[in-house]
Amino acid sequence: RILETNPAFRRMLGHNPEELEQMTVYDLVPGRSESVDRNVRRALKQGHVLVGERQYRRKDGSSVELEVSGSVISYGGKEVLCDVVRDISERKRAEEELRRSEARNRAMLEAYPDLVFRVSRNGEFLDFQANEDAKLYVPREEIIGSNVRDTLPPDMAAEILDHLARALETGEMQIYEYRLPVPEGPRDFEARFVATDLDESLCIIRDITERKQVDKMLRQQSAAMDNSADGIAILDRDGLYTYLNEAHVKVHGYDAPEELLGKSWKTLYGEDQLAWLEGRVGPALEKGGYWRGEAIGKRRDGSTFPQEISIASIEGSALVCVVRDTTLRKRAEDALRESEERYRAVVERTADGVLLCDMESKCKRILESNAALQGMLGYTAEELRGMSLYEIIDDDPEGIDRNSRRILEKRSHFIGERRYCRKDGSAVDVETSATMIPYGDKEVQCLIARDITERKRAEEELKRSVDKLAGLNEAGRILSSTLELEEIGKALLEMANGVTNVTAAIVYSQDERGELRIEHAFGPERLLHKARSTPEARAARRGAQETGERRALRPRRCGSGTPPLAVLCLPLRVRDRVVGVLEAYGPEPALSERTTIETLTGLANQAASALENARLYAELAEREGQLKGLVGKLIMAQEEERRHVAREVHDGLTQMLVAAHQHLQSFADYNPPDTPQGQEELGWVMEVVQRTVGEARRVIADLRPTALDDFGLATALRLQAETLRAEGWEIFYEGTLRDERLPVEVETALFRIAQEALTNVRKHAGSTRVHVALQHQEDVVRLQIRDWGRGFLPDASTNGGGPGERVGLSSMRERAALLGGNLEIASQPGTGTLVVVEVPLPLGGFSSNGS
């Protein structure tokens, strides 16, 4: 993108500045984008580049031959490429004329100040022409017949041969610049190659060292003036503008330098400024001197602006005027002045301490401080001014230096907590941050220190409170996780020792008679014995027990060699009833603190609840044991009654039915009925009697199967499975128990559970596919019954099933629980039901005869 152009460039191409600022180099050199990019990269890499000849397109569409050279310059804080172009149209025409007239060229060469060589295609010097003043760094007699490869470095020789070949091939002049180290120092040369025929070329060597230096100076001066942010103008002796750069034009509100060229400088200033400036411009012109000051400039629209103006004379014939718009600087100065005033007001009124430190001084000298810092440290402003930073920061010098380096690197740094030394030798805790700020003509370190003594104290108090709350929470967790009186007392005293400063403590529980019994104690045994045995301690303990309020005793010695201890007795209350006492011993400051009393009270309340829970649990456990015993006796009584009823039915009713069936059979044999109806009725009676006998036997088996008493659980379950299989069930039984006998109560309970489970299958499963397994696993007997019926939701069945279902499931669980076992039911609708019961075996639980 084209940034700026000078008037000569615009005249060459016929464009105005606005048109060129919308264009790129590619627009001016059509079809040569790759060459342009290559030259730009070379210039950025080398800092300068000679592009050579290029055809540029004018605004009217015609082309112009230009010689282009580029260099990298600084522009607005970044690097840009500055191209210097020269119209070589006339030179091209001259070269064409030179090629047409060899004789004329020879005549010109005779008087030509440069070296002219005739060179062959392979680089051999065939002839040369040089006047007497030309400097030859190789003897004349050695030039003819030598080769470029023999006289120049390899890389330079290769470049020259390449330019020579291009001149011969294209017929166009090739220009090559190079530098040679000669005795006077490095010199710059320009070699121009012009083909004379297909095999020879003229090589014109010109020393361009001075020209390069002048061009460089001119480019720098021109670039500096054209690209300067300051307005630059040149005036003749009459005060008329002969040159203005873009900045000078723009700052006064004009569009182009042409609008001001030839006009008087007075055009740009108001009447009030003219007399004042004439008194300075005139003497500058006359004396060839220099003047610099401030003035008020006038823009094209009549508005004014502050400016800084410098005027210098050029050999007494012209003036250079440099103008800089100071509007922004004036605003910045005003804003800075207001900011400094606000800053000082804030710094003086802030509660934080502020000091400025000179980082360049070896001792890091304090420059200024505010009233807050002076009050914080106890120094006056005069005492602090000039002191070293090392004197007030309680830290090693290396740490101070390390933080100072971080501040310099980061410009702003939060240092954190530090200790500052007061004048009286004490220390104060502060929180410090630092930043670099301007101070006069340099930067200094600004330290901001906030007194955090109260915050630290509050944090410590908060930490102690949190620790105590955590202790109470942990005490509640531990006390609620145990129901043993000994463990409750131990946990309570451990927590009291952890969150308070008590020296010793005792936990008492109250028994049924109202007597206090020690559950646990910690502390020196000798001290505890003497302390709790004193009449005062007994009275305080009894008062807390009877009134339900805490009692405290002032410190007193409990023996020689022991410090005075205070006593605090706290009742352990549950609702309106005292269940024990917490007795704590310690120094009076510890036991008189509000937080300590509240903590011990909280521990006492939690301990009271734990003691009451332990007492209630003990009573509940005792009653559950009694209930379990009663249920066991009830079940055994039921089984005994079932056995008795089964025996009565077997020995009485069943025997009578069998005898009746036999008599009917004999009657039918000896007295057969005469009629078919009689025979039918007799057969029906005999069938009813036979079914009644079978039903009686089934009732006997349900009440108390004889196989269970005679052969054990495994045989009874196998016979039960065979009976169901005979009824059409798809039932499978497997077991690892053979002739081993279990305790009677175990066999009875497991058989009844199996009976109930199979009954549920018959009533509710809708399937006769069943698997029964009885296994012995170490000291546990496991019974498993699985069906593939319709299934159910166990929770819903327990909560919402019919009374019979709930009683059946509860009976199964109760039987397992009475033996210390566990019964689990797993079922889902559509997947069947699995009943698993595990019962532990007592030592010696297996026998071969069932005893």
Side-chain angles (χ1 to χ4, degrees):
R1 184 170 60 87
I2 297 174
L3 301 175
E4 288 190 25
T5 56
N6 69 345
F9 184 85
R10 296 193 289 271
R11 286 194 298 272
M12 288 180 190
L13 301 185
H15 289 282
N16 60 42
E18 290 75 17
E19 292 173 338
L20 287 171
E21 288 176 3
Q22 300 298 322
M23 300 172 69
T24 68
V25 178
Y26 304 130
D27 300 325
L28 302 180
V29 188
R32 301 297 298 271
S33 60
E34 293 182 1
S35 174
V36 171
D37 292 341
R38 183 168 59 253
N39 287 323
V40 170
R41 287 194 297 271
R42 185 186 302 170
L44 291 176
K45 182 178 180 181
Q46 299 177 356
H48 66 88
V49 63
L50 179 61
V51 178
E53 298 175 2
R54 286 283 185 271
Q55 279 195 354
Y56 276 61
R57 184 166 57 193
R58 290 191 176 98
K59 184 176 181 180
D60 60 6
S62 62
S63 297
V64 58
E65 292 285 340
L66 300 178
E67 184 184 78
V68 185
S69 63
S71 61
V72 177
I73 65 171
S74 176
Y75 180 82
K78 61 181 179 180
E79 289 187 338
V80 301
L81 186 61
C82 176
D83 282 349
V84 178
V85 299
R86 180 179 298 166
D87 189 344
I88 59 173
S89 301
E90 293 298 327
R91 190 186 72 188
K92 296 288 286 186
R93 283 193 293 273
E95 290 173 352
E96 183 68 20
E97 179 67 22
L98 182 65
R99 284 193 295 271
R100 288 195 299 265
S101 177
E102 183 177 352
R104 184 172 39 176
N105 288 344
R106 171 62 61 181
M108 292 175 63
L109 287 174
E110 292 294 336
Y112 205 64
D114 298 331
L115 297 175
V116 181
F117 294 89
R118 191 162 56 89
V119 186
S120 67
R121 178 181 289 274
N122 63 0
E124 182 181 355
F125 292 106
L126 303 175
D127 192 7
F128 79 95
Q129 176 69 37
N131 60 26
E132 296 297 329
D133 297 330
K135 289 185 178 181
L136 296 175
Y137 299 102
V138 179
R140 290 174 179 267
E141 59 273 12
E142 296 181 7
I143 295 176
I144 304 301
S146 64
N147 196 288
V148 173
R149 297 184 180 89
D150 303 327
T151 59
L152 296 174
D155 55 343
M156 192 177 297
E159 288 281 347
I160 287 178
L161 290 175
D162 182 60
H163 282 74
L164 174 61
R166 286 202 297 269
L168 292 172
E169 292 172 1
T170 64
E172 297 179 356
M173 182 178 65
Q174 302 293 318
I175 301 175
Y176 172 62
E177 291 186 6
Y178 60 96
R179 171 170 287 193
L180 280 177
V182 297
E184 294 86 353
R187 303 287 293 181
D188 293 306
F189 295 92
E190 179 186 79
R192 294 172 179 258
F193 298 90
V194 181
T196 59
D197 55 33
L198 296 178
D199 294 319
E200 293 183 8
S201 171
L202 289 181
C203 178
I204 304 169
I205 306 297
R206 176 180 296 175
D207 188 336
I208 60 171
T209 304
E210 286 75 15
R211 193 193 77 185
K212 294 274 286 187
Q213 293 173 351
V214 171
D215 286 347
K216 180 179 179 181
M217 181 182 66
L218 290 176
R219 285 196 303 270
Q220 290 175 345
Q221 291 177 351
S222 177
M225 293 177 65
D226 290 342
N227 300 322
S228 174
D230 294 334
I232 301 175
I234 299 177
L235 298 86
D236 61 14
R237 292 186 59 82
D238 297 327
L240 303 179
Y241 287 113
T242 60
Y243 168 82
L244 302 98
N245 70 349
E246 293 288 340
H248 199 100
V249 174
K250 298 294 184 184
V251 76
H252 287 92
Y254 290 85
D255 298 325
E258 290 77 11
E259 298 180 75
L260 291 173
L261 287 174
K263 295 184 178 180
S264 172
W265 65 273
K266 298 179 182 180
T267 306
L268 303 181
Y269 295 93
E271 295 293 336
D272 56 338
Q273 291 285 299
L274 289 177
W276 184 81
L277 285 173
E278 284 176 344
R280 287 153 181 81
V281 175
L285 278 170
E286 295 172 1
K287 300 178 181 179
Y290 171 81
W291 177 82
R292 179 179 180 180
E294 293 186 352
I296 302 298
K298 184 177 68 173
R299 295 190 179 92
R300 186 178 189 176
D301 60 4
S303 61
T304 59
F305 65 97
Q307 62 178 218
E308 185 181 83
I309 182 170
S310 302
I311 302 175
S313 174
I314 304 177
E315 298 179 354
S317 61
L319 285 180
V320 174
C321 178
V322 180
V323 172
R324 177 176 297 173
D325 187 347
T326 59
T327 303
L328 296 179
R329 192 189 72 187
K330 290 286 187 182
R331 292 176 183 172
E333 289 175 352
D334 294 340
L336 178 61
R337 183 169 54 256
E338 294 176 2
S339 175
E340 288 179 349
E341 292 174 356
R342 288 195 298 269
Y343 165 77
R344 295 218 169 259
V346 170
V347 166
E348 290 302 323
R349 290 174 174 81
T350 182
D352 295 336
V354 180
L355 67 84
L356 303 182
C357 176
D358 184 4
M359 302 299 295
E360 297 179 358
S361 63
K362 186 175 181 180
C363 65
K364 294 181 173 52
R365 182 170 55 90
I366 297 174
L367 302 174
E368 291 187 32
S369 61
N370 68 343
L373 185 75
Q374 297 157 17
M376 187 188 302
L377 302 182
Y379 290 98
T380 64
E382 291 72 19
E383 291 172 332
L384 281 173
R385 187 178 298 112
M387 288 179 64
S388 170
L389 196 64
Y390 301 112
E391 296 181 60
I392 66 168
I393 298 181
D394 186 12
D395 194 0
D396 60 283
E398 292 182 358
I400 298 174
D401 294 340
R402 185 166 53 252
N403 283 322
S404 298
R405 287 192 296 271
R406 289 176 183 167
I407 297 166
L408 285 172
E409 292 172 1
K410 299 181 179 180
R411 314 300 297 167
S412 181
H413 179 56
F414 178 73
I415 299 174
E417 294 185 6
R418 287 290 183 272
R419 293 177 69 85
Y420 279 18
C421 301
R422 289 191 176 101
K423 183 178 180 180
D424 60 7
S426 60
V428 57
D429 291 313
V430 298
E431 187 176 72
T432 309
S433 60
T435 186
M436 298 298 297
I437 65 170
Y439 184 83
D441 59 348
K442 60 182 176 181
E443 285 191 323
V444 298
Q445 177 178 309
C446 175
L447 286 175
I448 301 174
R450 175 170 296 175
D451 189 343
I452 59 172
T453 305
E454 291 300 324
R455 193 187 77 185
K456 295 278 284 186
R457 187 180 298 114
E459 287 176 352
E460 290 296 328
E461 183 66 25
L462 179 61
K463 185 177 181 301
R464 286 195 295 269
S465 300
V466 169
D467 290 341
K468 290 178 180 180
L469 290 174
L472 289 174
N473 180 63
E474 182 67 13
R477 187 186 65 80
I478 294 175
L479 292 174
S480 62
S481 64
T482 181
L483 295 171
E484 297 294 332
L485 293 177
E486 176 68 17
E487 293 183 5
I488 292 172
K490 181 179 179 181
L492 173 62
L493 295 185
E494 287 178 352
M495 291 299 165
N497 187 31
V499 299
T500 63
N501 295 323
V502 298
T503 305
I506 306 172
V507 176
Y508 297 91
S509 65
Q510 181 175 285
D511 59 17
E512 295 80 1
R513 301 189 305 272
E515 299 294 333
L516 294 178
R517 180 179 69 251
I518 296 177
E519 293 296 342
H520 200 74
F522 84 85
E525 184 177 352
R526 180 168 170 269
L527 182 148
L528 285 172
H529 176 72
K530 289 189 175 183
R532 70 184 182 83
S533 301
T534 62
E536 294 82 1
R538 290 196 188 97
R541 194 184 311 135
R542 186 168 52 253
Q545 179 188 10
E546 293 176 353
T547 64
E549 298 176 355
R550 69 171 182 264
R551 291 287 187 268
L553 296 177
R554 297 186 64 80
R556 57 175 297 160
R557 294 188 180 276
C558 299
S560 60
T562 61
L565 297 177
V567 180
L568 180 64
C569 294
L570 297 171
L572 306 181
R573 300 179 56 183
V574 177
R575 291 182 289 273
D576 296 331
R577 185 166 57 86
V578 176
V579 298
V581 173
L582 171 62
E583 194 170 84
Y585 298 87
E588 184 178 24
L591 288 184
S592 60
E593 288 182 358
R594 179 179 58 83
T595 56
T596 301
I597 295 175
E598 291 177 352
T599 301
L600 289 175
T601 302
L603 288 172
N605 292 336
Q606 295 191 52
S609 299
L611 290 173
E612 181 65 9
N613 291 339
R615 183 186 67 80
L616 295 175
Y617 177 75
E619 292 181 1
L620 179 61
E622 181 180 359
R623 293 179 182 178
E624 284 184 349
Q626 294 174 357
L627 179 60
K628 184 177 180 180
L630 291 174
V631 172
K633 290 178 180 180
L634 177 61
I635 291 176
M636 292 306 296
Q638 289 176 346
E639 291 297 329
E640 185 62 31
E641 184 63 23
R642 282 171 176 265
R643 188 182 294 110
H644 175 71
V645 172
R647 188 179 301 114
E648 290 293 330
V649 172
H650 179 272
D651 294 343
L653 179 61
T654 305
Q655 296 301 325
M656 292 175 62
L657 289 172
V658 171
H661 184 271
Q662 290 176 352
H663 283 296
L664 287 173
Q665 186 67 42
S666 298
F667 177 79
D669 291 339
Y670 293 105
N671 300 292
D674 296 333
T675 64
Q677 182 179 2
Q679 292 178 357
E680 183 180 355
E681 291 179 353
L682 180 60
W684 178 81
V685 171
M686 290 177 65
E687 183 181 354
V688 170
V689 173
Q690 188 175 5
R691 286 204 306 269
T692 304
V693 171
E695 186 66 22
R697 287 175 177 171
R698 188 185 64 78
V699 171
I700 292 171
D702 289 341
L703 287 172
R704 185 69 182 182
T706 56
L708 180 63
D709 293 331
D710 297 338
F711 303 106
L713 178 62
T715 301
L717 289 177
R718 186 170 59 253
L719 292 175
Q720 183 77 8
E722 291 174 357
T723 301
L724 293 175
R725 192 178 298 113
E727 296 178 6
W729 283 44
E730 185 183 351
I731 187 168
F732 176 74
Y733 169 79
E734 65 172 336
T736 58
L737 291 177
R738 295 183 180 178
D739 297 334
E740 295 89 353
R741 295 298 302 271
L742 303 176
V744 176
E745 62 274 13
V746 175
E747 290 187 337
T748 302
L750 292 178
F751 183 80
R752 292 303 182 195
I753 291 173
Q755 254 187 341
E756 183 67 31
L758 293 172
T759 300
N760 289 335
V761 172
R762 181 191 299 274
K763 292 180 178 180
H764 308 293
S767 173
T768 57
R769 182 186 173 195
V770 182
H771 177 269
V772 180
L774 181 65
Q775 298 172 335
H776 168 225
Q777 299 176 344
E778 296 182 356
D779 57 349
V780 173
V781 175
R782 177 185 175 93
L783 174 64
Q784 178 175 305
I785 302 170
R786 171 85 162 93
D787 72 72
W788 283 265
R790 60 173 57 96
F792 65 98
L793 295 174
D795 292 339
S797 177
T798 303
N799 296 331
E805 295 177 14
R806 292 196 295 271
V807 170
L809 295 176
S810 299
S811 174
M812 294 165 67
R813 287 194 174 92
E814 189 66 35
R815 287 181 181 274
L818 287 174
L819 297 176
N822 183 46
L823 182 136
E824 295 291 339
I825 299 175
S827 181
Q828 285 292 332
T831 62
T833 302
L834 173 64
V835 177
V836 179
V837 59
E838 290 184 350
V839 176
L841 290 177
L843 294 177
F846 279 105
S847 64
S848 59
N849 55 9
S851 61

